[in-house]
Amino acid sequence: MTHPLTESKTSNIIIAGVPRAGKTTLCQMLMRHGYTHISMDAIIAGFETCYPETGIHTYQGLSSMETMLVISHKIAPFIRAMIESEYSGHGEARAVFDVYQLWPDDYRKHLAPLNCTAHWLGSSDCTEDERFTVLKANDTERHYTFYKPEAELREGCAYIVEQSRLLKQECEKHHLSYHDTTYHRDSVLNTLLSNILGGRG
């Protein structure tokens, strides 16, 4: 685990990282402490359907890594505009943004100067096969992966591990907060929750 760039005394939190790493679970935990959960995946889905000309599209014929970077470059300034509009974080309000496609460099460029702290969740400290085993062991009907064929899941686990390792390297380079949730996930999330709430002031 790396150290965050700044303390978490902030009105707005970003929980970023790869799919099925615990982002939504942590956001739901923060909701019980007064945070408003903003799902950027839902907003991105709206762009895909209504405004494809923005180029914010999950399926655009690129590799998963290239897609992440394309969307990150566009979504980071969008999140900044939301925060600066005082839609979130106004007065006593606090928002937690749940986002997959946010690269650390884009966070530093657009969001770090604001009243906003980011934490990345990933699966960097395992093999693709281990990620698949953990995924299947925890899969339930409420998860989108429950309905995917095994070959597609294994391919997904490969890019999850690849992206996680790259995210971990970038977070370490920039002294940002990164947490592996492959194993002992509940403990990792509870510790991170305590750190966020304890640093809130």
Side-chain angles (χ1 to χ4, degrees):
M1 182 177 67
T2 58
H3 296 288
L5 179 67
T6 58
E7 295 295 328
S8 294
K9 292 183 179 180
T10 177
S11 293
N12 299 291
I13 303 289
I14 293 177
I15 305 300
V18 298
R20 294 298 307 276
K23 298 189 303 297
T24 301
T25 299
L26 181 56
C27 289
Q28 290 171 343
M29 294 163 72
L30 283 163
M31 286 174 65
R32 293 194 284 271
H33 294 273
Y35 282 85
T36 298
H37 178 201
I38 299 177
S39 171
M40 296 309 299
D41 284 347
I43 291 173
I44 287 170
F47 278 122
E48 290 175 345
T49 302
C50 299
Y51 305 106
E53 66 274 13
T54 62
I56 300 175
H57 203 288
T58 305
Y59 305 101
Q60 48 186 300
L62 302 174
S63 71
S64 62
M65 192 65 216
E66 290 170 331
T67 300
M68 171 191 264
L69 292 174
V70 167
I71 295 179
S72 176
H73 296 338
K74 295 173 182 288
I75 214 67
F78 181 84
I79 295 173
R80 177 173 185 138
M82 290 181 71
I83 293 172
E84 289 182 331
S85 74
E86 296 188 351
Y87 172 78
S88 60
H90 179 68
E92 294 301 314
R94 297 183 296 271
V96 55
F97 293 82
D98 175 355
V99 56
Y100 164 30
Q101 295 102 337
L102 180 64
W103 196 242
D105 277 346
D106 291 320
Y107 163 76
R108 285 176 57 85
K109 179 179 178 181
H110 297 285
L111 296 162
L114 304 180
N115 189 21
C116 182
T117 299
H119 304 272
W120 278 263
L121 307 180
S123 293
S124 53
D125 302 341
C126 64
T127 66
E128 297 167 15
D129 286 341
E130 288 171 335
R131 175 64 258 184
F132 176 78
T133 299
V134 171
L135 176 69
K136 292 300 292 182
N138 294 282
D139 230 3
T140 68
E141 292 183 1
R142 68 185 179 86
H143 296 114
Y144 74 93
T145 47
F146 184 82
Y147 304 96
K148 300 279 187 182
E150 181 175 321
E152 187 175 343
L153 287 180
R154 286 190 178 277
E155 181 181 3
C157 287
Y159 75 70
I160 283 174
V161 171
E162 176 190 16
Q163 289 183 3
S164 295
R165 290 173 179 170
L166 292 172
L167 282 171
K168 181 179 181 180
Q169 290 174 8
E170 288 297 304
C171 287
E172 288 178 341
K173 181 170 74 175
H174 297 300
H175 307 290
L176 297 169
S177 173
Y178 173 87
H179 307 263
D180 190 288
T181 57
T182 308
Y183 302 107
H184 313 296
R185 172 170 152 164
D186 290 346
S187 175
V188 172
L189 294 182
N190 279 313
T191 298
L192 181 52
L193 176 68
S194 296
N195 289 342
I196 292 172
L197 297 177
R200 193 173 68 200

